[in-house]
Amino acid sequence: MRAIIYRRYGGPEVLEATELERPTAGPGQVLVKVRATSVNAADYRLMRADPFLVRLFNGWLRPKSRQVLGMDVAGVVEAVGSGVTKFQVGDEVFGETPMKSQGAFAEYAVADARALAKKPARLRFEEAAAVPLAAVTALQGLRHLGKVGPGQRVLIQGAGGGVGLFAVQIAAALGAQVTAVCGPKSVALVRSLGVTDVIDYTQRDFTKDGKQYEVIVAVNGYRALSEYRRCLVPGGRYVMVGGTGRQLFETLLLGWLVFAGSGRTAAALTIDEAKREGDMAQLAAWLEAGAVRAVIDREVELEKVAEAIRYVEGGHVSGKVVLRVAGA
Ligand SMILES: NC(=O)c1ccc[n+]([C@@H]2O[C@H](COP(=O)([O-])OP(=O)(O)OC[C@H]3O[C@@H](n4cnc5c(N)ncnc54)[C@H](OP(=O)(O)O)[C@@H]3O)[C@@H](O)[C@H]2O)c1
């Protein structure tokens, strides 16, 4: 099968097209004929081995266990492994490939059945491929860590990106009053998703307007921990989803200290695998009902993956960048 691989760590120039043997579905797994995939930060972090810790599980000097990138997958079930009853050959599915094996920048990919859901009929494969990693991240940050419920005031920082655009829609679907913070390019887009309070961070500083929230989800746009604390009501929760290594270090090591005695909490999201299957089912239902939609910045052929990653790494996308797998 056709696949995009990388044999050494580095920038997008390390990606190359090649022919690989088609993978097979193990117990509990599904082989998917890939129709579309999308670019996530996880892809270029693995590609660059940045953070350095990537080398601990993916090969010290060069990538070993995962040479085919691509977390998200949307496609058609080609074969099922033993014990899989949830899917049949021919089903249209979407979901995530496991980090420990090859990804979906290829004609075929294997995924755990529990990480897949049936593709809602109203979605194109390209739209479905934009969903899994970004939307599960947003949902887990909001619901499991942020404990967002109806009527709560929720601020999403970094609302114009892959995770952020799902976060604003999911927070609204959970019944929250949503305030979105994004750059000028994404203001109209975010407003079109039904968000009434959109803050253009080049015009207004949300940490200085005296407003407080029950939950702040920071996807991007890094502020001091003390500023987030000031913008939370007593009992409020700061959820860090994305950020620099320094930001993560500060939240994990200093978060408890900065927030101590304030009656507010700070936490950094790590994906809870046990909740993934239920989360995918919830997302599929919202997508089918039209309560949440995939926002795509651009769609390109898989062969243009290096260009696509360069664009996403620039840090100012408005939605997801999708890769079509032609000929699949
Ligand atoms: N914890 C986890 O499990 C997990 C899972 C998935 C992703 N993540 C992390 O989440 C982060 C975002 O991922 P993504 O896929 O959404 O990235 P993305 O699609 O590249 O989006 C980045 C967004 O950040 C916005 N941004 C940049 N600077 C900003 C600022 N100062 N204030 C507000 N917004 C700003 C950009 O919007 P403008 O152009 O409008 O500035 C852009 O829309 C990454 O760091 C990723 O590693 C974490």
Side-chain angles (χ1 to χ4, degrees):
M1 66 168 186
R2 213 157 34 87
I4 305 293
I5 63 163
Y6 69 127
R7 300 173 205 265
R8 61 191 168 90
Y9 294 120
E13 70 282 355
V14 300
L15 298 171
E16 56 179 285
T18 190
E19 287 290 323
L20 290 182
E21 220 169 279
R22 194 197 283 193
T24 53
Q29 291 189 319
V30 172
L31 176 66
V32 180
K33 190 168 189 181
V34 183
R35 295 287 302 271
T37 175
S38 78
V39 177
N40 287 290
D43 296 314
Y44 55 78
R45 300 232 157 105
L46 279 171
M47 183 184 76
R48 292 185 182 276
D50 179 16
F52 199 76
L53 286 177
V54 162
R55 292 173 190 261
L56 290 182
F57 65 88
N58 199 34
W60 191 249
L61 294 176
R62 59 188 64 84
K64 286 201 175 132
S65 51
R66 192 175 175 89
Q67 290 174 318
V68 181
L69 299 169
M71 303 297 297
D72 288 327
V73 63
V76 180
V77 173
E78 181 79 9
V80 295
S82 61
V84 176
T85 52
K86 195 173 144 190
F87 301 109
Q88 291 179 342
V89 171
D91 282 348
E92 296 183 347
V93 294
F94 71 130
E96 248 180 81
T97 62
M99 188 69 95
K100 61 185 185 304
S101 59
Q102 306 292 33
F105 291 177
E107 279 181 293
Y108 293 88
V110 159
D112 294 333
R114 283 178 308 169
L116 294 172
K118 293 224 173 97
K119 179 181 78 62
R122 66 187 287 169
L123 263 67
R124 297 181 296 122
F125 285 106
E126 289 80 358
E127 291 168 309
V131 174
L133 186 144
V136 167
T137 300
L139 179 54
Q140 293 212 352
L142 287 161
R143 188 161 67 175
H144 305 318
L145 218 50
K147 302 189 183 3
V148 169
Q152 290 191 335
R153 284 157 296 169
V154 176
L155 180 131
I156 314 287
Q157 192 187 13
V163 177
L165 284 165
F166 281 114
V168 294
Q169 298 181 76
I170 291 169
L174 292 170
Q177 297 171 34
V178 185
T179 298
V181 181
C182 60
K185 192 176 121 196
S186 303
V187 168
L189 171 63
V190 172
R191 217 184 282 286
S192 77
L193 297 172
V195 179
T196 44
D197 196 6
V198 183
I199 298 175
D200 172 349
Y201 63 74
T202 63
Q203 301 296 319
R204 226 169 100 200
D205 182 346
F206 74 91
T207 68
K208 297 213 169 82
D209 63 9
K211 290 199 180 154
Q212 288 187 313
Y213 304 87
E214 270 86 20
V215 181
I216 296 177
V217 174
V219 182
N220 256 315
Y222 324 110
R223 305 300 298 247
L225 286 170
S226 57
E227 293 179 304
Y228 289 122
R229 188 191 56 199
R230 194 172 66 221
C231 295
L232 287 169
V233 297
R237 295 170 291 283
Y238 162 59
V239 178
M240 185 202 161
V241 168
T244 58
R246 181 179 159 192
Q247 182 91 0
L248 181 62
F249 179 79
E250 277 179 12
T251 305
L252 292 176
L253 292 183
L254 302 178
W256 65 274
L257 189 64
V258 176
F259 280 68
S262 71
R264 297 150 174 93
T265 56
L269 178 73
T270 49
I271 293 297
D272 183 344
E273 287 301 330
K275 295 197 165 84
R276 185 185 293 282
E277 190 169 21
D279 289 343
M280 280 298 293
Q282 172 68 81
L283 288 165
W286 276 330
L287 290 158
E288 192 66 88
V292 171
R293 69 178 173 91
V295 179
I296 295 176
D297 180 305
R298 58 186 63 177
E299 296 177 20
V300 298
E301 301 305 319
L302 178 62
E303 283 62 30
K304 296 266 166 72
V305 60
E307 220 172 277
I309 288 181
R310 258 183 219 110
Y311 175 61
V312 177
E313 276 195 290
H316 294 285
V317 292
S318 291
K320 295 283 301 177
V321 174
V322 170
L323 303 167
R324 286 187 295 252
V325 182

